């Protein structure tokens, strides 16, 4: 067959991922904080975009996005006019008037301080303008932020640096101490070694160790420790409770973690009652003394969806308005600027591009809100029993079920449920919480949710007595009687994931606590 060039006309369809489509997909999985940051960036680049909030937002929407803010409305009142008090009032009075003072008494009222304009009236325009410009100076009290008056919290290093000069009078020792302070982590533990510090400073290791032992006397007790055992020993020493038996207990924390109380009694040479008292003292200690000075701000989780019980017995699902910024397109500004620019100019092209971007952003935000609402409404419909009765009635649910119900792709549902939270009468939950693995029923009935099964295991272990501790096999049998078909290794996996020790360790701990309670 001979090869030859030819020209064909062919029609085909293809799915093209445009930049705007990619940005719309990214908007779905953004949190409200990330969304506000993205909108703030767009506002800086696009002059046609503006944010509306409260009553002003409704007014903007009616007038095509026109800005009704009145910047500097008090400026004319504050700047228009002189002081209400005239310092030279007495200069024009006659010598015989009651308001004048005799010159012989040297009572001249000339202002000897040229920079001082004299007293001001309380209602002087300048003072009114200055008062309104201060934070919280408005009549309605708006703009008053208490955070502006809150003192900065001290960090762990600030607290230690205040104590070091009183502990170490030698400047060289204080220099070594400062290097050791810089090696502390947030929990108050020393991360570096004294040998490295000595090598870096050119000092003997013995001198660095001597400074370290002195620093371990500072508050909070337990700082500058190199291990958990040393941290607990420092705190016990400060309480004058580091006797030989307690020192052996602190050196064998791995046995305490395994609840091997029999071995601990032999090593410490104490009875069971004394060991229980020693364990009670250990529990009162702080394993991370530096965290009490943690300065990282904790951010409250703001729900994206709010679910309330309706009077007719159903559920009312709505979006949280605080997480949905209103973005408007200022079409009045666009019409005003476009009328002054030529159609072929670069300014006109830039303005048209800004209008297209603004329209796309508003449509994308609206579509994002509608998609979140669809997914949340379907989740509430699927988990109606959970909202009514609690976690025991949590149904198994996957992304495919919700996607088919709302006629969307699973990837879209996955993006919507990422980092989104729902406030329900049962509490605040991430949307991912409602999607759990299905566990088969022992009697061939409805499947069970993995989260509800974990709740059952946790409840059974919490109710067990010291003489009847449930093993993993016992838990499997109890679950099977309740209609849950679960393997023993799955029970062990769930138990370890919830940080619940084995039956042997729980039996030792419960018996020790029971004897301590009766003694």
């Amino acid at each position: 067959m001979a090869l030859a060039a030819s020209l064909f006309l062919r029609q085909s369809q293809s799915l093209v991922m445009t930049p705007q489509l990619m940005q719309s997909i990214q908007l779905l999985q953004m949190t409200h904080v990330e969304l506000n940051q993205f909108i703030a960036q767009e506002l800086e680049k696009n002059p046609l975009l503006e944010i509306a909030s409260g009553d002003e937002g409704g007014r903007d929407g009616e007038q095509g996005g026109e800005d009704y803010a009145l910047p500097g409305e008090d400026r004319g009142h504050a700047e228009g006019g002189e002081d209400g008090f005239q310092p030279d009032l007495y200069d024009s009075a006659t010598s015989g008037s009651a308001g004048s003072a005799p010159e012989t008494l040297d009572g001249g009222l000339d202002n000897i301080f040229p920079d001082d304009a004299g007293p001001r009236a309380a209602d002087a325009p300048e003072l009114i303008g200055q008062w309104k410009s201060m934070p919280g100076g408005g009549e309605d009290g708006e703009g008053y932020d208490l955070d502006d008056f809150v003192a900065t919290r001290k960090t762990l290093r600030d607290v230690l640096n205040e104590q070091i000069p009183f502990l170490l009078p030698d400047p060289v020792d204080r220099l070594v101490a400062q290097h050791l302070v810089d090696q502390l982590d947030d929990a108050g533990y020393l991360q570096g070694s004294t040998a490295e510090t000595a090598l870096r400073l050119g000092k003997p290791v013995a001198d660095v160790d001597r400074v370290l032992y002195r620093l371990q006397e500072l508050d909070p007790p337990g700082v500058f420790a190199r291990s958990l055992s040393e941290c607990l020993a420092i705190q016990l020493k400060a309480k004058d409770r580091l006797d030989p038996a307690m020192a052996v207990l602190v050196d064998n924390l791995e046995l305490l973690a395994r609840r091997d109380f029999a071995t601990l009694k032999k090593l410490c040479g104490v009875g069971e009652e004394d060991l229980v008292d020693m364990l009670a003292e250990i529990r009162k200690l702080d394993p991370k003394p530096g965290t009490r000075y943690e300065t990282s701000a904790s951010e409250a989780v703001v729900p994206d969806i709010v679910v309330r019980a309706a009077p007719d017995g159903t559920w009312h699902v709505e979006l949280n308005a605080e997480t949905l910024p209103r973005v408007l397109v200022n079409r009045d500004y666009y019409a005003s600027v476009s009328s002054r620019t030529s159609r072929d100019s670069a300014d006109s092209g830039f303005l048209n591009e800004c209008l297209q971007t603004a329209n796309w952003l508003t449509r994308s935000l609206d579509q994002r809100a509608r998609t979140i609402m669809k997914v949340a409404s379907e989740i509430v419909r699927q988990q109606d029993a959970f909202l009514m009765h609690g976690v025991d009635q949590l149904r198994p649910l996957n992304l495919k079920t919700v996607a088919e119900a709302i006629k969307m792709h699973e990837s879209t549902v996955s993006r919507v449920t990422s980092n989104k939270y729902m406030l329900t009468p049962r509490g605040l939950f991430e949307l991912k919480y409602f999607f759990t693995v299905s566990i088969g029923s022992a009697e061939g009935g409805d499947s069970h949710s993995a989260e509800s099964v974990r709740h059952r295991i946790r409840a059974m272990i919490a109710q067990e007595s010291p003489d009847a501790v449930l093993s993993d096999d016992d838990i499997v049998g109890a679950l099977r009687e309740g209609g849950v078909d679960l393997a023993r290794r799955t029970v062990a996996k769930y138990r370890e994931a919830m940080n619940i020790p084995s039956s042997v360790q729980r039996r030792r701990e419960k018996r020790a606590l029971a004897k301590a309670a009766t003694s």
Side-chain angles (χ1 to χ4, degrees):
M1 180 178 179
L3 298 178
S6 59
L7 184 63
F8 293 96
L9 183 61
R10 181 179 301 171
Q11 186 178 11
S12 62
Q13 293 182 348
S14 61
L15 181 62
V16 180
M17 184 70 70
T18 62
Q20 291 184 345
L21 180 59
M22 294 177 61
Q23 193 68 60
S24 299
I25 294 175
Q26 293 178 1
L27 287 177
L28 280 177
Q29 58 189 8
M30 285 184 181
T31 63
H32 68 278
V33 177
E34 297 172 345
L35 183 62
N36 288 332
Q37 294 176 352
F38 172 77
I39 292 176
Q41 295 175 359
E42 292 296 323
L43 288 173
E44 294 179 357
K45 297 185 295 185
N46 197 331
L48 300 182
L49 288 175
E50 62 183 16
I51 293 290
S53 60
D55 298 336
E56 184 178 324
R59 184 171 53 188
D60 292 346
E62 296 174 1
Q63 301 295 333
E66 184 177 354
D67 189 3
Y68 279 84
L70 298 177
E73 56 182 353
D74 295 331
R75 188 182 308 161
H77 179 64
E79 297 178 355
E82 300 295 329
D83 297 339
F85 180 78
Q86 299 292 338
D88 299 329
L89 180 63
Y90 291 101
D91 292 346
S92 60
T94 60
S95 59
S97 63
S100 62
E103 296 180 358
T104 57
L105 299 178
D106 194 17
L109 299 179
D110 295 337
N111 189 2
I112 61 176
F113 301 103
D115 294 337
D116 185 9
R120 309 287 181 89
D123 56 348
E126 286 186 8
L127 297 182
I128 294 177
Q130 294 175 4
W131 173 254
K132 287 189 176 183
S133 64
M134 295 176 64
E139 296 180 357
D140 55 356
E142 293 183 358
Y144 190 88
D145 192 358
L146 286 177
D147 291 339
D148 295 338
F149 305 95
V150 176
T152 305
R153 293 185 58 185
K154 291 185 178 181
T155 63
L156 176 62
R157 288 166 175 79
D158 295 337
V159 174
L160 295 175
N161 289 330
E162 292 177 356
Q163 305 175 61
I164 288 176
F166 299 96
L167 182 70
L168 301 174
D170 188 2
V172 178
D173 291 344
R174 290 201 295 266
L175 178 63
V176 176
Q178 189 59 50
H179 280 76
L180 295 177
V181 169
D182 294 338
Q183 300 178 34
L184 293 179
D185 61 4
D186 295 336
Y189 286 83
L190 184 66
Q191 295 300 314
S193 63
T194 55
E196 295 177 355
T197 305
L199 181 62
R200 188 181 305 114
L201 299 178
K203 298 284 292 182
V205 180
D207 292 347
V208 179
D209 290 336
R210 176 179 53 82
V211 174
L212 176 61
Y213 294 144
R214 294 298 308 277
L215 293 176
Q216 291 178 351
E217 302 174 4
L218 298 178
D219 287 331
V223 292
F224 291 99
R226 289 160 288 187
S227 63
L228 178 59
S229 299
E230 188 177 12
C231 178
L232 300 180
I234 294 173
Q235 298 180 51
L236 291 170
K237 184 179 179 181
K239 296 182 177 182
D240 197 16
R241 280 293 294 121
L242 190 61
D243 51 25
M246 187 66 77
V248 174
L249 176 60
V250 170
D251 291 337
N252 294 273
L253 293 178
E254 66 279 357
L255 297 177
L256 180 59
R258 296 202 303 262
R259 275 76 171 178
D260 193 354
F261 301 129
T263 306
L264 285 175
K265 287 189 295 184
K266 294 179 181 179
L267 293 175
C268 298
V270 296
E272 190 164 355
E273 295 182 1
D274 294 336
L275 181 62
V276 171
D277 294 338
M278 294 165 63
L279 295 179
E281 291 189 26
I282 292 292
R283 289 190 179 94
K284 296 178 182 179
L285 303 179
D286 188 0
K288 296 180 179 181
T291 54
R292 69 184 68 176
Y293 299 102
E294 186 176 0
T295 58
S296 58
S298 58
E299 298 181 359
V301 176
V302 180
D304 300 271
I305 306 101
V306 180
V307 179
R308 298 185 179 93
D312 57 354
T314 59
W315 300 101
H316 180 65
V317 183
E318 62 180 358
L319 294 173
N320 189 0
E322 296 180 2
T323 61
L324 296 175
R326 291 191 57 188
V327 180
L328 300 179
V329 181
N330 197 333
R331 300 187 182 276
D332 292 344
Y333 179 73
Y334 171 76
S336 175
V337 176
S338 60
S339 62
R340 298 195 300 265
T341 59
S342 175
R343 293 185 177 180
D344 298 333
S345 63
D347 295 340
S348 177
F350 171 75
L351 196 63
N352 292 331
E353 182 180 356
C354 290
L355 180 62
Q356 294 178 2
T357 304
N359 290 332
W360 162 81
L361 181 59
T362 54
R363 288 195 302 267
S364 299
L365 293 176
D366 181 70
Q367 183 64 30
R368 176 183 182 271
R370 293 176 184 274
T371 306
I372 294 176
M373 190 66 180
K374 287 182 180 180
V375 174
S377 300
E378 181 61 23
I379 291 176
V380 171
R381 191 184 70 83
Q382 295 282 349
Q383 301 294 354
D384 176 74
F386 163 77
L387 298 175
M388 292 292 295
H389 307 288
V391 68
D392 288 338
Q393 301 298 324
L394 186 65
R395 292 181 52 188
L397 187 65
N398 53 30
L399 298 175
K400 183 178 180 181
T401 303
V402 176
E404 291 178 351
I406 63 177
K407 295 180 174 54
M408 289 185 177
H409 198 269
E410 294 182 39
S411 61
T412 303
V413 178
S414 177
R415 293 186 179 93
V416 169
T417 55
S418 298
N419 301 319
K420 307 293 190 307
Y421 292 87
M422 178 187 292
L423 181 61
T424 70
R426 294 287 171 183
L428 182 66
F429 301 94
E430 189 179 4
L431 293 184
K432 291 288 188 183
Y433 175 82
F434 299 99
F435 296 90
T436 58
V437 180
S438 175
I439 297 177
S441 175
E443 301 175 355
D446 295 336
S447 301
H448 301 272
S449 169
E451 185 62 31
S452 63
V453 173
R454 282 193 289 266
H455 177 72
R456 292 188 188 184
I457 295 174
R458 192 184 302 111
M460 284 189 292
I461 293 177
Q463 296 174 0
E464 62 187 6
S465 61
D467 297 330
V469 176
L470 299 174
S471 64
D472 292 343
D473 292 328
D474 296 335
I475 295 176
V476 170
L479 291 175
R480 186 170 288 110
E481 292 178 0
V484 180
D485 186 11
L486 204 63
R488 179 185 177 279
R489 62 179 179 273
T490 307
V491 171
K493 181 181 68 174
Y494 286 172
R495 176 179 54 75
E496 293 173 357
M498 293 184 290
N499 294 323
I500 298 176
S502 63
S503 58
V504 177
Q505 297 176 357
R506 296 201 311 272
R507 184 179 295 107
R508 293 172 180 170
E509 184 175 4
K510 289 180 181 293
R511 287 180 178 177
L513 294 176
K515 290 183 179 180
T518 56
S519 59

